[in-house]
Amino acid sequence: MSSPLILVVEDEVDLVHTLEYNLQKEGYRTQSATTGESAIEALRGDELPDLVILDLMLPDLPGTDVCRRLRNDETTREIPVLMLTARGEETDRVVGFEAGADDYVVKPFSVRELMLRVRALLRRRGSTSEPIQEEISFGRLLVNIPACEVAVDGEPVQLTALEFRLLKTLFVRRGRAQSREVLLADVWDITADVMTRTVDTHIKRLREKLGPVGAYIETLRGIGYRFADQPPPQE
Ligand code: CA
């Protein structure tokens, strides 16, 4: 198996060189694009990258547009995106997550930190693309994805098909922030911004049904939701 391919999308050529050099030193293969359009072109190529490092400020289109396009395309939807933002302002982070980025680093960043994030994202991706186990036990929760069954403390929980899809989507992406827009697109198959309240309503109902396990679904203010990375220590 060849080593992971990482697409670096950044218009500062010096930074591209630094990133490519360090990624290659870690054993990754790299590809780079200095504009949003050329990044989109690269994502239509024969070999898709395993991860995209994406600058928010590109000369032609915002990084968030590139990210949205990637998320809206079936073939590139699951590729992890690490966003590079110029400022540490909350708005930048929120914008990045709403566009569907998996993680972000604020410039100037240390190369070491960036490498750690890259490794973590690739590891998470690997864990979600493994064949689906029949039953996954997670703290007090038991999920059987092929059978669409859920139990809390051994007691079956009756969920609607939609609630199950919502739980499954959050659960298989444990530890990754999911914006309301991404959830709407992936659970409801719709992208209308006005509908984000729908997500909140269903999350509320799902949490109620899950009882003590409801708390495993975290609310990220101004961003969306995230299923816990680890179950809390047993009460
Ligand atoms: Ca830039």
Side-chain angles (χ1 to χ4, degrees):
M1 217 179 96
S2 52
S3 60
L5 176 65
I6 297 179
L7 172 63
V8 178
V9 187
E10 166 62 72
D11 57 316
E12 289 165 53
V13 177
D14 285 352
L15 184 52
V16 173
H17 288 159
T18 307
L19 290 176
E20 287 201 293
Y21 170 78
N22 284 281
L23 288 163
Q24 287 167 10
K25 222 170 66 179
E26 294 277 318
Y28 300 119
R29 290 175 303 134
T30 63
Q31 191 183 0
S32 64
T34 52
T35 62
E37 286 298 344
S38 56
I40 288 164
E41 204 51 50
L43 288 161
R44 291 198 190 109
D46 286 340
E47 190 188 3
L48 290 173
D50 296 284
L51 181 139
V52 180
I53 297 176
L54 179 61
D55 185 29
L56 186 63
M57 305 284 186
L58 293 167
D60 52 345
L61 17 133
T64 47
D65 275 18
V66 177
C67 194
R68 274 195 200 96
R69 290 224 219 162
L70 182 145
R71 287 290 176 252
N72 287 334
D73 187 326
E74 198 68 39
T75 57
T76 55
R77 168 172 286 180
E78 299 294 330
I79 300 174
V81 174
L82 176 64
M83 194 82 92
L84 305 179
T85 76
R87 290 152 285 148
E89 288 169 16
E90 177 111 291
T91 48
D92 281 359
R93 277 182 264 160
V94 171
V95 163
F97 279 124
E98 285 194 343
D102 297 280
D103 202 356
Y104 69 94
V105 284
V106 178
K107 292 181 187 175
F109 50 82
S110 80
V111 168
R112 192 177 158 271
E113 186 195 352
L114 186 105
M115 292 301 151
L116 289 174
R117 304 287 182 98
V118 165
R119 216 173 303 150
L121 283 175
L122 287 171
R123 203 173 48 224
R124 275 187 226 165
R125 190 201 187 203
S127 68
T128 54
S129 60
E130 274 167 20
I132 297 171
Q133 285 168 262
E134 292 255 306
E135 281 194 338
I136 308 167
S137 126
F138 186 88
R140 299 167 72 171
L141 176 69
L142 189 72
V143 183
N144 185 328
I145 292 178
C148 301
E149 284 170 2
V150 176
V152 173
D153 294 334
E155 290 294 317
V157 178
Q158 301 303 325
L159 298 180
T160 64
L162 182 70
E163 287 163 354
F164 184 80
R165 243 146 72 88
L166 178 58
L167 174 66
K168 184 184 80 175
T169 304
L170 289 165
F171 184 72
V172 300
R173 298 172 186 174
R174 295 191 286 286
R176 289 168 57 183
Q178 303 298 314
S179 72
R180 293 175 178 83
E181 286 75 11
V182 164
L183 290 173
L184 273 178
D186 293 353
V187 178
W188 281 263
D189 273 335
I190 45 175
T191 50
D193 290 339
V194 290
M195 301 291 284
T196 52
R197 263 169 204 282
T198 306
V199 178
D200 299 336
T201 311
H202 282 84
I203 289 273
K204 186 164 176 280
R205 208 170 301 155
L206 179 60
R207 277 190 180 134
E208 283 165 8
K209 286 194 177 180
L210 293 173
V213 161
Y216 294 8
I217 301 170
E218 303 158 357
T219 302
L220 303 180
R221 267 194 78 189
I223 297 169
Y225 297 96
R226 177 176 62 199
F227 205 95
D229 208 7
Q230 297 287 328
Q234 280 291 352
E235 303 89 314

PDB file of all heavy atoms in Angstrom, residues 193-227:
ATOM      1  N   ASP A 193     -29.973  26.599   4.327  1.00  0.00           N
ATOM      2  CA  ASP A 193     -29.496  27.200   5.575  1.00  0.00           C
ATOM      3  C   ASP A 193     -30.614  27.439   6.578  1.00  0.00           C
ATOM      4  O   ASP A 193     -30.406  27.385   7.766  1.00  0.00           O
ATOM      5  CB  ASP A 193     -28.833  28.557   5.283  1.00  0.00           C
ATOM      6  CG  ASP A 193     -27.521  28.375   4.548  1.00  0.00           C
ATOM      7  OD1 ASP A 193     -26.955  27.270   4.635  1.00  0.00           O
ATOM      8  OD2 ASP A 193     -27.071  29.327   3.900  1.00  0.00           O
ATOM      9  N   VAL A 194     -31.806  27.739   6.070  1.00  0.00           N
ATOM     10  CA  VAL A 194     -32.923  28.080   6.953  1.00  0.00           C
ATOM     11  C   VAL A 194     -33.397  26.902   7.796  1.00  0.00           C
ATOM     12  O   VAL A 194     -34.153  27.078   8.729  1.00  0.00           O
ATOM     13  CB  VAL A 194     -34.124  28.618   6.146  1.00  0.00           C
ATOM     14  CG1 VAL A 194     -33.817  29.990   5.582  1.00  0.00           C
ATOM     15  CG2 VAL A 194     -34.534  27.657   5.055  1.00  0.00           C
ATOM     16  N   MET A 195     -32.944  25.710   7.433  1.00  0.00           N
ATOM     17  CA  MET A 195     -33.467  24.523   8.108  1.00  0.00           C
ATOM     18  C   MET A 195     -32.618  24.058   9.292  1.00  0.00           C
ATOM     19  O   MET A 195     -32.886  23.016   9.858  1.00  0.00           O
ATOM     20  CB  MET A 195     -33.584  23.372   7.112  1.00  0.00           C
ATOM     21  CG  MET A 195     -34.486  23.649   5.940  1.00  0.00           C
ATOM     22  SD  MET A 195     -36.206  23.755   6.447  1.00  0.00           S
ATOM     23  CE  MET A 195     -36.549  22.012   6.666  1.00  0.00           C
ATOM     24  N   THR A 196     -31.599  24.831   9.649  1.00  0.00           N
ATOM     25  CA  THR A 196     -30.678  24.310  10.657  1.00  0.00           C
ATOM     26  C   THR A 196     -31.365  24.025  11.996  1.00  0.00           C
ATOM     27  O   THR A 196     -30.901  23.198  12.759  1.00  0.00           O
ATOM     28  CB  THR A 196     -29.488  25.261  10.886  1.00  0.00           C
ATOM     29  OG1 THR A 196     -29.993  26.561  11.136  1.00  0.00           O
ATOM     30  CG2 THR A 196     -28.552  25.270   9.698  1.00  0.00           C
ATOM     31  N   ARG A 197     -32.464  24.706  12.258  1.00  0.00           N
ATOM     32  CA  ARG A 197     -33.201  24.448  13.495  1.00  0.00           C
ATOM     33  C   ARG A 197     -33.736  23.017  13.569  1.00  0.00           C
ATOM     34  O   ARG A 197     -33.898  22.449  14.642  1.00  0.00           O
ATOM     35  CB  ARG A 197     -34.386  25.402  13.627  1.00  0.00           C
ATOM     36  CG  ARG A 197     -34.086  26.580  14.463  1.00  0.00           C
ATOM     37  CD  ARG A 197     -35.189  27.617  14.328  1.00  0.00           C
ATOM     38  NE  ARG A 197     -34.676  28.932  14.649  1.00  0.00           N
ATOM     39  CZ  ARG A 197     -34.468  29.364  15.878  1.00  0.00           C
ATOM     40  NH1 ARG A 197     -34.734  28.583  16.908  1.00  0.00           N
ATOM     41  NH2 ARG A 197     -33.989  30.563  16.120  1.00  0.00           N
ATOM     42  N   THR A 198     -34.022  22.466  12.404  1.00  0.00           N
ATOM     43  CA  THR A 198     -34.479  21.078  12.327  1.00  0.00           C
ATOM     44  C   THR A 198     -33.487  20.162  13.026  1.00  0.00           C
ATOM     45  O   THR A 198     -33.866  19.248  13.747  1.00  0.00           O
ATOM     46  CB  THR A 198     -34.581  20.653  10.835  1.00  0.00           C
ATOM     47  OG1 THR A 198     -35.403  21.604  10.186  1.00  0.00           O
ATOM     48  CG2 THR A 198     -35.147  19.268  10.681  1.00  0.00           C
ATOM     49  N   VAL A 199     -32.198  20.427  12.789  1.00  0.00           N
ATOM     50  CA  VAL A 199     -31.154  19.601  13.393  1.00  0.00           C
ATOM     51  C   VAL A 199     -31.268  19.695  14.917  1.00  0.00           C
ATOM     52  O   VAL A 199     -31.266  18.678  15.615  1.00  0.00           O
ATOM     53  CB  VAL A 199     -29.752  20.047  12.919  1.00  0.00           C
ATOM     54  CG1 VAL A 199     -28.671  19.213  13.579  1.00  0.00           C
ATOM     55  CG2 VAL A 199     -29.642  19.960  11.400  1.00  0.00           C
ATOM     56  N   ASP A 200     -31.390  20.914  15.428  1.00  0.00           N
ATOM     57  CA  ASP A 200     -31.476  21.117  16.877  1.00  0.00           C
ATOM     58  C   ASP A 200     -32.664  20.364  17.478  1.00  0.00           C
ATOM     59  O   ASP A 200     -32.553  19.726  18.514  1.00  0.00           O
ATOM     60  CB  ASP A 200     -31.605  22.612  17.200  1.00  0.00           C
ATOM     61  CG  ASP A 200     -30.406  23.399  16.702  1.00  0.00           C
ATOM     62  OD1 ASP A 200     -29.332  22.799  16.545  1.00  0.00           O
ATOM     63  OD2 ASP A 200     -30.551  24.612  16.467  1.00  0.00           O
ATOM     64  N   THR A 201     -33.806  20.445  16.782  1.00  0.00           N
ATOM     65  CA  THR A 201     -35.016  19.775  17.283  1.00  0.00           C
ATOM     66  C   THR A 201     -34.797  18.266  17.375  1.00  0.00           C
ATOM     67  O   THR A 201     -35.139  17.641  18.379  1.00  0.00           O
ATOM     68  CB  THR A 201     -36.191  20.049  16.310  1.00  0.00           C
ATOM     69  OG1 THR A 201     -36.230  21.449  16.062  1.00  0.00           O
ATOM     70  CG2 THR A 201     -37.500  19.585  16.882  1.00  0.00           C
ATOM     71  N   HIS A 202     -34.196  17.701  16.337  1.00  0.00           N
ATOM     72  CA  HIS A 202     -34.003  16.244  16.338  1.00  0.00           C
ATOM     73  C   HIS A 202     -32.919  15.822  17.315  1.00  0.00           C
ATOM     74  O   HIS A 202     -33.011  14.748  17.914  1.00  0.00           O
ATOM     75  CB  HIS A 202     -33.706  15.750  14.922  1.00  0.00           C
ATOM     76  CG  HIS A 202     -34.942  15.669  14.087  1.00  0.00           C
ATOM     77  ND1 HIS A 202     -35.456  16.752  13.433  1.00  0.00           N
ATOM     78  CD2 HIS A 202     -35.794  14.639  13.855  1.00  0.00           C
ATOM     79  CE1 HIS A 202     -36.566  16.389  12.809  1.00  0.00           C
ATOM     80  NE2 HIS A 202     -36.787  15.104  13.047  1.00  0.00           N
ATOM     81  N   ILE A 203     -31.891  16.639  17.470  1.00  0.00           N
ATOM     82  CA  ILE A 203     -30.847  16.321  18.442  1.00  0.00           C
ATOM     83  C   ILE A 203     -31.475  16.276  19.838  1.00  0.00           C
ATOM     84  O   ILE A 203     -31.194  15.388  20.635  1.00  0.00           O
ATOM     85  CB  ILE A 203     -29.703  17.375  18.398  1.00  0.00           C
ATOM     86  CG1 ILE A 203     -28.890  17.248  17.117  1.00  0.00           C
ATOM     87  CG2 ILE A 203     -28.826  17.282  19.646  1.00  0.00           C
ATOM     88  CD1 ILE A 203     -27.743  16.255  17.127  1.00  0.00           C
ATOM     89  N   LYS A 204     -32.353  17.228  20.102  1.00  0.00           N
ATOM     90  CA  LYS A 204     -32.993  17.312  21.419  1.00  0.00           C
ATOM     91  C   LYS A 204     -33.790  16.019  21.682  1.00  0.00           C
ATOM     92  O   LYS A 204     -33.665  15.396  22.727  1.00  0.00           O
ATOM     93  CB  LYS A 204     -33.917  18.537  21.436  1.00  0.00           C
ATOM     94  CG  LYS A 204     -34.537  18.838  22.772  1.00  0.00           C
ATOM     95  CD  LYS A 204     -35.111  20.263  22.782  1.00  0.00           C
ATOM     96  CE  LYS A 204     -35.832  20.564  24.066  1.00  0.00           C
ATOM     97  NZ  LYS A 204     -37.209  20.004  24.078  1.00  0.00           N
ATOM     98  N   ARG A 205     -34.564  15.610  20.681  1.00  0.00           N
ATOM     99  CA  ARG A 205     -35.390  14.411  20.835  1.00  0.00           C
ATOM    100  C   ARG A 205     -34.505  13.170  20.993  1.00  0.00           C
ATOM    101  O   ARG A 205     -34.780  12.297  21.825  1.00  0.00           O
ATOM    102  CB  ARG A 205     -36.296  14.257  19.607  1.00  0.00           C
ATOM    103  CG  ARG A 205     -37.580  13.541  19.918  1.00  0.00           C
ATOM    104  CD  ARG A 205     -38.555  13.622  18.766  1.00  0.00           C
ATOM    105  NE  ARG A 205     -38.889  14.988  18.409  1.00  0.00           N
ATOM    106  CZ  ARG A 205     -39.313  15.363  17.186  1.00  0.00           C
ATOM    107  NH1 ARG A 205     -39.411  14.476  16.211  1.00  0.00           N
ATOM    108  NH2 ARG A 205     -39.626  16.612  16.935  1.00  0.00           N
ATOM    109  N   LEU A 206     -33.444  13.100  20.192  1.00  0.00           N
ATOM    110  CA  LEU A 206     -32.528  11.961  20.263  1.00  0.00           C
ATOM    111  C   LEU A 206     -31.881  11.891  21.649  1.00  0.00           C
ATOM    112  O   LEU A 206     -31.796  10.821  22.254  1.00  0.00           O
ATOM    113  CB  LEU A 206     -31.468  12.094  19.160  1.00  0.00           C
ATOM    114  CG  LEU A 206     -30.388  11.023  19.075  1.00  0.00           C
ATOM    115  CD1 LEU A 206     -30.986   9.640  18.829  1.00  0.00           C
ATOM    116  CD2 LEU A 206     -29.397  11.348  17.955  1.00  0.00           C
ATOM    117  N   ARG A 207     -31.454  13.040  22.156  1.00  0.00           N
ATOM    118  CA  ARG A 207     -30.835  13.060  23.491  1.00  0.00           C
ATOM    119  C   ARG A 207     -31.802  12.580  24.555  1.00  0.00           C
ATOM    120  O   ARG A 207     -31.426  11.819  25.439  1.00  0.00           O
ATOM    121  CB  ARG A 207     -30.403  14.488  23.850  1.00  0.00           C
ATOM    122  CG  ARG A 207     -29.059  14.868  23.278  1.00  0.00           C
ATOM    123  CD  ARG A 207     -28.654  16.175  23.901  1.00  0.00           C
ATOM    124  NE  ARG A 207     -27.371  16.638  23.411  1.00  0.00           N
ATOM    125  CZ  ARG A 207     -27.137  17.892  23.033  1.00  0.00           C
ATOM    126  NH1 ARG A 207     -28.103  18.799  23.083  1.00  0.00           N
ATOM    127  NH2 ARG A 207     -25.941  18.239  22.624  1.00  0.00           N
ATOM    128  N   GLU A 208     -33.067  13.005  24.441  1.00  0.00           N
ATOM    129  CA  GLU A 208     -34.071  12.586  25.435  1.00  0.00           C
ATOM    130  C   GLU A 208     -34.221  11.076  25.422  1.00  0.00           C
ATOM    131  O   GLU A 208     -34.237  10.430  26.462  1.00  0.00           O
ATOM    132  CB  GLU A 208     -35.416  13.261  25.144  1.00  0.00           C
ATOM    133  CG  GLU A 208     -35.444  14.717  25.599  1.00  0.00           C
ATOM    134  CD  GLU A 208     -36.611  15.516  25.013  1.00  0.00           C
ATOM    135  OE1 GLU A 208     -37.496  14.895  24.365  1.00  0.00           O
ATOM    136  OE2 GLU A 208     -36.605  16.750  25.183  1.00  0.00           O
ATOM    137  N   LYS A 209     -34.291  10.508  24.220  1.00  0.00           N
ATOM    138  CA  LYS A 209     -34.473   9.055  24.112  1.00  0.00           C
ATOM    139  C   LYS A 209     -33.265   8.290  24.636  1.00  0.00           C
ATOM    140  O   LYS A 209     -33.400   7.190  25.154  1.00  0.00           O
ATOM    141  CB  LYS A 209     -34.728   8.671  22.654  1.00  0.00           C
ATOM    142  CG  LYS A 209     -36.111   9.041  22.170  1.00  0.00           C
ATOM    143  CD  LYS A 209     -36.411   8.335  20.864  1.00  0.00           C
ATOM    144  CE  LYS A 209     -37.835   8.659  20.403  1.00  0.00           C
ATOM    145  NZ  LYS A 209     -38.140   7.985  19.131  1.00  0.00           N
ATOM    146  N   LEU A 210     -32.082   8.877  24.464  1.00  0.00           N
ATOM    147  CA  LEU A 210     -30.856   8.175  24.879  1.00  0.00           C
ATOM    148  C   LEU A 210     -30.600   8.300  26.374  1.00  0.00           C
ATOM    149  O   LEU A 210     -29.688   7.662  26.899  1.00  0.00           O
ATOM    150  CB  LEU A 210     -29.647   8.703  24.091  1.00  0.00           C
ATOM    151  CG  LEU A 210     -29.634   8.408  22.583  1.00  0.00           C
ATOM    152  CD1 LEU A 210     -28.481   9.135  21.910  1.00  0.00           C
ATOM    153  CD2 LEU A 210     -29.539   6.909  22.298  1.00  0.00           C
ATOM    154  N   GLY A 211     -31.375   9.108  27.065  1.00  0.00           N
ATOM    155  CA  GLY A 211     -31.229   9.253  28.517  1.00  0.00           C
ATOM    156  C   GLY A 211     -29.813   9.638  28.898  1.00  0.00           C
ATOM    157  O   GLY A 211     -29.294  10.645  28.407  1.00  0.00           O
ATOM    158  N   PRO A 212     -29.165   8.800  29.745  1.00  0.00           N
ATOM    159  CA  PRO A 212     -27.835   9.154  30.229  1.00  0.00           C
ATOM    160  C   PRO A 212     -26.787   9.263  29.111  1.00  0.00           C
ATOM    161  O   PRO A 212     -25.781   9.952  29.257  1.00  0.00           O
ATOM    162  CB  PRO A 212     -27.470   8.001  31.177  1.00  0.00           C
ATOM    163  CG  PRO A 212     -28.360   6.873  30.793  1.00  0.00           C
ATOM    164  CD  PRO A 212     -29.624   7.509  30.268  1.00  0.00           C
ATOM    165  N   VAL A 213     -27.052   8.596  28.004  1.00  0.00           N
ATOM    166  CA  VAL A 213     -26.095   8.599  26.888  1.00  0.00           C
ATOM    167  C   VAL A 213     -26.256   9.872  26.035  1.00  0.00           C
ATOM    168  O   VAL A 213     -25.384  10.227  25.245  1.00  0.00           O
ATOM    169  CB  VAL A 213     -26.267   7.289  26.068  1.00  0.00           C
ATOM    170  CG1 VAL A 213     -25.674   7.390  24.691  1.00  0.00           C
ATOM    171  CG2 VAL A 213     -25.644   6.115  26.831  1.00  0.00           C
ATOM    172  N   GLY A 214     -27.378  10.574  26.244  1.00  0.00           N
ATOM    173  CA  GLY A 214     -27.622  11.817  25.501  1.00  0.00           C
ATOM    174  C   GLY A 214     -26.478  12.809  25.639  1.00  0.00           C
ATOM    175  O   GLY A 214     -26.162  13.556  24.716  1.00  0.00           O
ATOM    176  N   ALA A 215     -25.830  12.767  26.800  1.00  0.00           N
ATOM    177  CA  ALA A 215     -24.729  13.700  27.073  1.00  0.00           C
ATOM    178  C   ALA A 215     -23.484  13.389  26.244  1.00  0.00           C
ATOM    179  O   ALA A 215     -22.567  14.200  26.176  1.00  0.00           O
ATOM    180  CB  ALA A 215     -24.381  13.670  28.563  1.00  0.00           C
ATOM    181  N   TYR A 216     -23.442  12.207  25.598  1.00  0.00           N
ATOM    182  CA  TYR A 216     -22.283  11.895  24.745  1.00  0.00           C
ATOM    183  C   TYR A 216     -22.285  12.793  23.502  1.00  0.00           C
ATOM    184  O   TYR A 216     -21.281  12.940  22.834  1.00  0.00           O
ATOM    185  CB  TYR A 216     -22.308  10.432  24.268  1.00  0.00           C
ATOM    186  CG  TYR A 216     -22.135   9.364  25.331  1.00  0.00           C
ATOM    187  CD1 TYR A 216     -22.131   9.672  26.695  1.00  0.00           C
ATOM    188  CD2 TYR A 216     -21.988   8.027  24.977  1.00  0.00           C
ATOM    189  CE1 TYR A 216     -21.995   8.678  27.649  1.00  0.00           C
ATOM    190  CE2 TYR A 216     -21.839   7.028  25.929  1.00  0.00           C
ATOM    191  CZ  TYR A 216     -21.854   7.365  27.265  1.00  0.00           C
ATOM    192  OH  TYR A 216     -21.717   6.384  28.201  1.00  0.00           O
ATOM    193  N   ILE A 217     -23.468  13.318  23.170  1.00  0.00           N
ATOM    194  CA  ILE A 217     -23.553  14.247  22.024  1.00  0.00           C
ATOM    195  C   ILE A 217     -23.327  15.649  22.573  1.00  0.00           C
ATOM    196  O   ILE A 217     -24.135  16.168  23.323  1.00  0.00           O
ATOM    197  CB  ILE A 217     -24.912  14.158  21.310  1.00  0.00           C
ATOM    198  CG1 ILE A 217     -25.161  12.732  20.793  1.00  0.00           C
ATOM    199  CG2 ILE A 217     -24.978  15.171  20.158  1.00  0.00           C
ATOM    200  CD1 ILE A 217     -26.571  12.486  20.288  1.00  0.00           C
ATOM    201  N   GLU A 218     -22.200  16.226  22.223  1.00  0.00           N
ATOM    202  CA  GLU A 218     -21.835  17.536  22.749  1.00  0.00           C
ATOM    203  C   GLU A 218     -22.313  18.644  21.804  1.00  0.00           C
ATOM    204  O   GLU A 218     -22.300  18.471  20.595  1.00  0.00           O
ATOM    205  CB  GLU A 218     -20.306  17.634  22.885  1.00  0.00           C
ATOM    206  CG  GLU A 218     -19.708  16.552  23.746  1.00  0.00           C
ATOM    207  CD  GLU A 218     -18.209  16.307  23.480  1.00  0.00           C
ATOM    208  OE1 GLU A 218     -17.649  16.950  22.562  1.00  0.00           O
ATOM    209  OE2 GLU A 218     -17.627  15.464  24.176  1.00  0.00           O
ATOM    210  N   THR A 219     -22.711  19.769  22.383  1.00  0.00           N
ATOM    211  CA  THR A 219     -23.066  20.942  21.579  1.00  0.00           C
ATOM    212  C   THR A 219     -21.824  21.814  21.486  1.00  0.00           C
ATOM    213  O   THR A 219     -21.205  22.114  22.494  1.00  0.00           O
ATOM    214  CB  THR A 219     -24.180  21.754  22.263  1.00  0.00           C
ATOM    215  OG1 THR A 219     -25.314  20.912  22.447  1.00  0.00           O
ATOM    216  CG2 THR A 219     -24.584  22.958  21.410  1.00  0.00           C
ATOM    217  N   LEU A 220     -21.452  22.201  20.268  1.00  0.00           N
ATOM    218  CA  LEU A 220     -20.320  23.113  20.087  1.00  0.00           C
ATOM    219  C   LEU A 220     -20.915  24.454  19.719  1.00  0.00           C
ATOM    220  O   LEU A 220     -21.463  24.615  18.622  1.00  0.00           O
ATOM    221  CB  LEU A 220     -19.387  22.613  18.986  1.00  0.00           C
ATOM    222  CG  LEU A 220     -18.824  21.204  19.190  1.00  0.00           C
ATOM    223  CD1 LEU A 220     -17.919  20.839  18.021  1.00  0.00           C
ATOM    224  CD2 LEU A 220     -18.042  21.102  20.489  1.00  0.00           C
ATOM    225  N   ARG A 221     -20.856  25.376  20.611  1.00  0.00           N
ATOM    226  CA  ARG A 221     -21.524  26.670  20.404  1.00  0.00           C
ATOM    227  C   ARG A 221     -21.060  27.341  19.126  1.00  0.00           C
ATOM    228  O   ARG A 221     -19.871  27.489  18.892  1.00  0.00           O
ATOM    229  CB  ARG A 221     -21.261  27.602  21.581  1.00  0.00           C
ATOM    230  CG  ARG A 221     -22.347  27.511  22.629  1.00  0.00           C
ATOM    231  CD  ARG A 221     -22.263  28.654  23.618  1.00  0.00           C
ATOM    232  NE  ARG A 221     -22.798  29.887  23.071  1.00  0.00           N
ATOM    233  CZ  ARG A 221     -22.672  31.057  23.685  1.00  0.00           C
ATOM    234  NH1 ARG A 221     -22.024  31.155  24.823  1.00  0.00           N
ATOM    235  NH2 ARG A 221     -23.185  32.131  23.149  1.00  0.00           N
ATOM    236  N   GLY A 222     -22.006  27.740  18.319  1.00  0.00           N
ATOM    237  CA  GLY A 222     -21.702  28.442  17.073  1.00  0.00           C
ATOM    238  C   GLY A 222     -21.174  27.527  15.976  1.00  0.00           C
ATOM    239  O   GLY A 222     -20.841  27.977  14.897  1.00  0.00           O
ATOM    240  N   ILE A 223     -21.058  26.227  16.260  1.00  0.00           N
ATOM    241  CA  ILE A 223     -20.504  25.302  15.270  1.00  0.00           C
ATOM    242  C   ILE A 223     -21.508  24.207  14.940  1.00  0.00           C
ATOM    243  O   ILE A 223     -21.963  24.096  13.812  1.00  0.00           O
ATOM    244  CB  ILE A 223     -19.170  24.688  15.767  1.00  0.00           C
ATOM    245  CG1 ILE A 223     -18.117  25.787  15.951  1.00  0.00           C
ATOM    246  CG2 ILE A 223     -18.683  23.627  14.788  1.00  0.00           C
ATOM    247  CD1 ILE A 223     -16.879  25.350  16.671  1.00  0.00           C
ATOM    248  N   GLY A 224     -21.861  23.420  15.942  1.00  0.00           N
ATOM    249  CA  GLY A 224     -22.769  22.310  15.675  1.00  0.00           C
ATOM    250  C   GLY A 224     -22.686  21.279  16.781  1.00  0.00           C
ATOM    251  O   GLY A 224     -22.762  21.626  17.955  1.00  0.00           O
ATOM    252  N   TYR A 225     -22.478  20.035  16.401  1.00  0.00           N
ATOM    253  CA  TYR A 225     -22.485  18.949  17.381  1.00  0.00           C
ATOM    254  C   TYR A 225     -21.306  18.020  17.175  1.00  0.00           C
ATOM    255  O   TYR A 225     -20.711  17.975  16.106  1.00  0.00           O
ATOM    256  CB  TYR A 225     -23.786  18.150  17.257  1.00  0.00           C
ATOM    257  CG  TYR A 225     -24.992  18.999  17.571  1.00  0.00           C
ATOM    258  CD1 TYR A 225     -25.714  19.610  16.556  1.00  0.00           C
ATOM    259  CD2 TYR A 225     -25.369  19.217  18.888  1.00  0.00           C
ATOM    260  CE1 TYR A 225     -26.804  20.423  16.842  1.00  0.00           C
ATOM    261  CE2 TYR A 225     -26.452  20.017  19.188  1.00  0.00           C
ATOM    262  CZ  TYR A 225     -27.174  20.619  18.164  1.00  0.00           C
ATOM    263  OH  TYR A 225     -28.233  21.412  18.454  1.00  0.00           O
ATOM    264  N   ARG A 226     -20.999  17.261  18.221  1.00  0.00           N
ATOM    265  CA  ARG A 226     -19.910  16.295  18.122  1.00  0.00           C
ATOM    266  C   ARG A 226     -20.200  15.155  19.076  1.00  0.00           C
ATOM    267  O   ARG A 226     -20.566  15.378  20.225  1.00  0.00           O
ATOM    268  CB  ARG A 226     -18.596  16.969  18.511  1.00  0.00           C
ATOM    269  CG  ARG A 226     -17.394  16.017  18.509  1.00  0.00           C
ATOM    270  CD  ARG A 226     -16.109  16.752  18.799  1.00  0.00           C
ATOM    271  NE  ARG A 226     -16.142  17.358  20.115  1.00  0.00           N
ATOM    272  CZ  ARG A 226     -15.342  18.350  20.509  1.00  0.00           C
ATOM    273  NH1 ARG A 226     -14.443  18.844  19.686  1.00  0.00           N
ATOM    274  NH2 ARG A 226     -15.428  18.832  21.722  1.00  0.00           N
ATOM    275  N   PHE A 227     -20.056  13.945  18.580  1.00  0.00           N
ATOM    276  CA  PHE A 227     -20.158  12.784  19.460  1.00  0.00           C
ATOM    277  C   PHE A 227     -18.823  12.652  20.190  1.00  0.00           C
ATOM    278  O   PHE A 227     -17.764  12.824  19.584  1.00  0.00           O
ATOM    279  CB  PHE A 227     -20.451  11.516  18.653  1.00  0.00           C
ATOM    280  CG  PHE A 227     -21.145  10.458  19.471  1.00  0.00           C
ATOM    281  CD1 PHE A 227     -22.530  10.348  19.462  1.00  0.00           C
ATOM    282  CD2 PHE A 227     -20.415   9.583  20.266  1.00  0.00           C
ATOM    283  CE1 PHE A 227     -23.175   9.391  20.224  1.00  0.00           C
ATOM    284  CE2 PHE A 227     -21.050   8.622  21.039  1.00  0.00           C
ATOM    285  CZ  PHE A 227     -22.436   8.534  21.020  1.00  0.00           C
TER     286      PHE A 227
END
